[in-house]
Amino acid sequence: GAGVSQSPSNKVTEKGKDVELRCDPISGHTALYWYRQSLGQGLEFLIYFQGNSAPDKSGLPSDRFSAERTGGSVSTLTIQRTQQEDSAVYLCASSLSPYTSGNTIYFGEGSWLTVV
Amino acid sequence: AQSVTQPDIHITVSEGASLELRCNYSYGATPYLFWYVQSPGQGLQLLLKYFSGDTLVQGIKGFEAEFKRSQSSFNLRKPSVHWSDAAEYFCAVGTGTASKLTFGTGTRLQVTL
């Protein structure tokens, strides 16, 4: 696609339920990032994929959070047993290769998660 | 670990006035530096980036930023602000040894007519 696509754009879920957030990166982009943006906060790094592997998952806040990437393309971020503090915008981003090569990181519009 | 500080949470300027948004970073070596803009309900868009070379970087939409190593700063400037520049601006730093960018908490820009 033309840009990074995320779905759903909005999700309201009950506390304790599991949610899945999907990211479709720009075609051909090998690097994929997940960030979380809470109200009044900056962007908090969650996980980085290079291809299908995740060499850096240091930002995942707890074992309730997991992510996978298949076929070097689509990624899914799963939050189990959601809590109210998980309410945030989850942003996905991709780049042709790691940004250190000079490539621009492009962001999607985010998935707004509300846990009630 | 690297960190980024954007000391101004909210700035209001009049249309046509000049703008400077401040960004300070903490990192022992020369970092990779970025400015992103986020309009309401939108994703982040890259304005400009500094990797090496000329410390004055030109970006899109008439923005520029200057890397000052002695001050650990990367301030964003625009000589004449337009109403459409109202948005949230994020400074980010990358170290090259880590895969991630570290973002500041953002500065919300309001433009009055």
Side-chain angles (χ1 to χ4, degrees):
Chain A
V4 178
S5 178
Q6 293 187 245
S7 61
S9 54
N10 284 285
K11 175 74 175 179
V12 180
T13 189
E14 292 181 351
K15 178 181 171 181
K17 296 285 180 69
D18 298 352
V19 297
E20 284 189 351
L21 308 176
R22 176 188 168 104
C23 173
D24 254 298
I26 295 172
S27 179
H29 280 198
T30 64
L32 187 146
Y33 312 79
W34 282 98
Y35 281 83
R36 177 168 70 175
Q37 184 177 22
S38 304
L39 190 62
Q41 303 293 315
L43 278 74
E44 175 189 14
F45 168 79
L46 297 178
I47 188 169
Y48 160 68
F49 287 92
Q50 179 57 41
N52 289 337
S53 52
D56 188 350
K57 53 180 77 172
S58 62
L60 294 177
S62 75
D63 58 8
R64 295 187 297 105
F65 287 72
S66 63
E68 65 174 10
R69 188 178 185 194
T70 56
S73 180
V74 172
S75 176
T76 302
L77 177 68
T78 301
I79 309 172
Q80 296 179 309
R81 304 181 303 281
T82 52
Q83 304 294 313
Q84 288 185 328
E85 61 263 28
D86 299 333
S87 296
V89 179
Y90 290 82
L91 293 166
C92 179
S94 71
S95 59
L96 190 59
S97 63
Y99 75 86
T100 49
S101 301
N103 296 295
T104 296
I105 298 177
Y106 295 90
F107 282 81
E109 295 187 357
S111 291
W112 192 297
L113 176 65
T114 303
V115 182
V116 297
Chain B
Q2 68 273 21
S3 65
V4 180
T5 301
Q6 293 182 247
D8 303 306
I9 296 172
H10 185 214
I11 284 183
T12 300
V13 299
S14 300
E15 188 174 41
S18 64
L19 172 70
E20 182 169 29
L21 302 182
R22 296 183 290 164
C23 173
N24 292 95
Y25 67 88
S26 173
Y27 179 59
T30 300
Y32 302 94
L33 295 161
F34 307 79
W35 275 100
Y36 280 84
V37 61
Q38 185 180 35
S39 298
Q42 303 293 311
L44 279 74
Q45 181 183 23
L46 180 68
L47 287 175
L48 47 79
K49 60 187 177 184
Y50 172 79
F51 273 39
S52 64
D54 193 345
T55 56
L56 185 62
V57 181
Q58 301 297 320
I60 61 171
K61 305 185 180 185
F63 285 93
E64 67 177 27
E66 186 171 13
F67 169 54
K68 292 186 177 180
R69 185 191 309 274
S70 61
Q71 299 177 19
S72 297
S73 69
F74 189 57
N75 293 349
L76 182 71
R77 301 194 294 248
K78 187 169 184 178
S80 178
V81 169
H82 188 262
W83 64 267
S84 60
D85 293 324
E88 186 135 24
Y89 291 79
F90 291 93
C91 181
V93 61
T95 65
T97 57
S99 49
K100 63 186 180 185
L101 297 185
T102 299
F103 285 81
T105 52
T107 297
R108 180 164 298 277
L109 174 65
Q110 183 176 357
V111 180
T112 58
L113 301 177

